[in-house]
Amino acid sequence: MNQNIEVINKHLWAVKFSFLPFISEIDYKPDSEIPAYEEFGRVTNDGLLILNKDYPGYKIFKEWLPKLMKKKDKQLNKEIKAAQALKNKTDWQTVYAAMLQVEAERRKKERGEK
């Protein structure tokens, strides 16, 4: 395994996105509309979430995503619905809601769903 890849758990890795073009273990196609340094992470087609160590909020994602990944589908979906129902979200609630959505997307890809 490339020394630039940090394996947080089997579903969550971290790497500096500025290094991605040089890491053959990760299939990464840049999004022309979003510069790599603005992406907090990306879900691969097989359900692996790769966090961007270059992203300013990386430490928050690294701390909280493993906790969210432990939740059962039912709890995750319940929290997503609750987050969607909130009208005036705080910044933290917005970030947490985004993490919930990303984890739901990751699970769908891992199961092969569209």
Side-chain angles (χ1 to χ4, degrees):
M1 172 85 55
N2 188 304
Q3 66 184 4
N4 293 304
I5 298 171
E6 177 184 352
V7 177
I8 299 166
N9 67 39
K10 69 179 185 176
H11 302 293
L12 183 63
W13 293 2
V15 67
K16 290 184 176 218
F17 274 28
S18 56
F19 292 172
L20 281 174
F22 311 107
I23 300 175
S24 61
E25 293 91 341
I26 299 174
D27 183 22
Y28 175 78
K29 292 174 184 61
D31 184 335
S32 60
E33 303 205 5
I34 304 172
Y37 65 87
E38 289 183 9
E39 281 190 89
F40 80 85
R42 187 178 290 191
V43 179
T44 65
N45 289 334
D46 55 350
L48 175 67
L49 176 54
I50 302 170
L51 293 179
N52 182 1
K53 287 183 163 185
D54 291 327
Y55 189 75
Y58 162 72
K59 289 181 181 180
I60 293 168
F61 289 100
K62 181 182 177 184
E63 177 184 349
W64 281 92
L65 279 164
K67 296 173 186 177
L68 293 178
M69 290 175 156
K70 292 178 182 176
K71 294 181 183 285
K72 304 240 183 271
D73 286 344
K74 186 175 181 179
Q75 181 65 31
L76 189 71
N77 291 328
K78 181 179 176 183
E79 289 190 31
I80 289 171
K81 286 180 183 169
Q84 290 170 341
L86 287 175
K87 297 285 184 228
N88 297 314
K89 292 182 184 81
T90 64
D91 290 344
W92 169 244
Q93 289 168 326
T94 301
V95 169
Y96 189 75
M99 286 189 283
L100 291 168
Q101 287 294 119
V102 168
E103 174 56 10
E105 177 188 342
R106 187 200 67 73
R107 289 180 188 192
K108 282 182 179 179
K109 286 190 175 185
E110 182 181 38
R111 292 189 291 252
E113 299 174 15
K114 297 272 178 187

